Amino acid sequence: MSFVLIGKSLSGKTTISKALAEKGYRWEKNYTTRPKRDGEANDEYVYVSDEMFTDMACHDEFVDVKEFNTVHGIWKYGVLYPTTSWDKKTFVIMTPQGYVEHKNELPDDTKCIYLYANNNTIMKRMKKRGDMEEGMRRLKQDNKDLL
């Protein structure tokens, strides 16, 4: 059984993903045009140019594509189509809408796991990350999308 992790921004998806990868699970990384944050590891996303992302999207390489109009500009995120190599130890992070819209395109035994963090915890994590303006925009959107 493969699985999908979903949750609000700063709910712990990346932290859980790193722990799972250390235990031998295979993390199918998302692609993004977002610049790497200060202090962010290189292995959390596959960072690509806008041109490369658009080319991949035009060639239907993504099962799910999302664009976010951030305070820093438009950032794109894409989840690659599952390959035949997906197995019971494979997982990916998706948006809830992406999972609902595309669950029929994922392996039949794929399960969805929702990671919950309350808004106070998310605010503390946001302050620690240091991008309150973008963080508040994301939290507001997440509260709308995940209710």
Side-chain angles (χ1 to χ4, degrees):
M1 165 187 67
S2 55
F3 55 98
V4 174
L5 297 177
I6 63 171
K8 291 180 182 179
S9 299
L10 296 160
S11 63
K13 298 179 300 291
T14 301
T15 301
I16 296 291
S17 295
K18 288 178 180 179
L20 288 168
E22 288 177 8
K23 299 278 186 198
Y25 287 82
R26 193 161 59 88
W27 181 4
E28 288 288 322
K29 307 271 186 351
N30 293 346
Y31 284 66
T32 185
T33 61
R34 170 180 71 71
K36 192 175 97 137
R37 294 182 189 104
D38 289 340
E40 187 173 37
N42 284 329
D43 63 350
E44 295 179 14
Y45 290 93
V46 178
Y47 298 94
V48 297
S49 67
D50 190 64
E51 180 180 332
M52 182 178 200
F53 190 97
T54 300
D55 186 59
M56 292 174 75
C58 287
H59 287 93
D60 292 325
E61 294 184 38
F62 297 119
V63 66
D64 185 37
V65 172
K66 296 291 183 226
E67 289 188 11
F68 297 98
N69 189 8
T70 75
V71 298
H72 306 291
I74 294 176
W75 291 343
K76 299 174 186 174
Y77 292 81
V79 178
L80 289 178
Y81 270 99
T83 65
T84 55
S85 64
W86 269 43
D87 60 23
K88 66 181 180 177
K89 291 191 106 179
T90 303
F91 69 96
V92 67
I93 296 172
M94 293 181 81
T95 64
Q97 296 82 4
Y99 175 73
V100 169
E101 291 169 9
H102 303 291
K103 64 183 175 183
N104 292 334
E105 299 169 69
L106 300 172
D108 289 340
D109 63 348
T110 301
K111 301 296 181 204
C112 182
I113 300 170
Y114 175 73
L115 300 177
Y116 174 79
N118 66 42
N119 287 343
N120 289 333
T121 299
I122 290 171
M123 292 291 292
K124 288 177 188 173
R125 292 174 181 170
M126 201 181 301
K127 286 177 187 172
K128 186 176 178 183
R129 187 179 277 178
D131 191 356
M132 289 299 292
E133 185 179 4
E134 175 57 19
M136 291 303 295
R137 184 208 62 79
R138 290 170 62 187
L139 182 59
K140 182 178 177 184
Q141 187 64 47
D142 284 348
N143 284 334
K144 187 186 328 178
D145 291 345
L146 294 169
L147 291 180

